[in-house]
Amino acid sequence: MSGRTHVRACPERTCVGCRKRAAKHELLRVTAVEGVCAPDPGNSQPGRGAYLHPDPACLDLAVRRRAFPRAFRLQGALDTEALREHVEARADSTPAS
């Protein structure tokens, strides 16, 4: 053997909240459906997606920076209430490290 290891490349995405890069599986995909930011945990909804750490702090940053309309290339504000409920429920169910 030549000493090379065969390591699979792990796709990376950038969080629209904190702007840090992370592995795709660590981030939550978000899509825009009829003016609402909808969580897409199965990565199966069609259309343009944005990625976000499933952390309320990153969601707050993204909303404050108006990152979602820019990421989806849409005009105006988007409703993030459903996304906030999903992120907070996921944060509550995750044990603290």
Side-chain angles (χ1 to χ4, degrees), residues 21-97:
R21 294 184 62 80
K24 183 178 173 182
H25 69 272
E26 295 175 7
L27 300 172
L28 172 67
R29 183 172 187 259
V30 179
T31 58
V33 180
E34 298 176 6
V36 176
C37 285
D40 183 16
N43 296 335
S44 61
Q45 291 182 354
R48 189 167 199 77
Y51 289 86
L52 178 76
H53 282 110
D55 178 22
C58 282
L59 178 58
D60 292 339
L61 279 170
V63 169
R64 190 173 65 213
R65 292 179 52 245
R66 298 181 192 102
F68 289 117
R70 196 173 324 118
F72 298 130
R73 298 180 182 170
L74 297 173
Q75 297 281 327
L78 294 170
D79 181 22
T80 59
E81 195 57 37
L83 178 60
R84 184 170 301 282
E85 289 174 9
H86 179 82
V87 168
E88 288 176 354
R90 191 166 169 181
D92 290 341
S93 67
T94 307
S97 332

Side-chain angles (χ1 to χ4, degrees), residues 3-11:
R4 294 185 192 173
T5 59
H6 296 284
V7 178
R8 270 197 148 157
C10 182

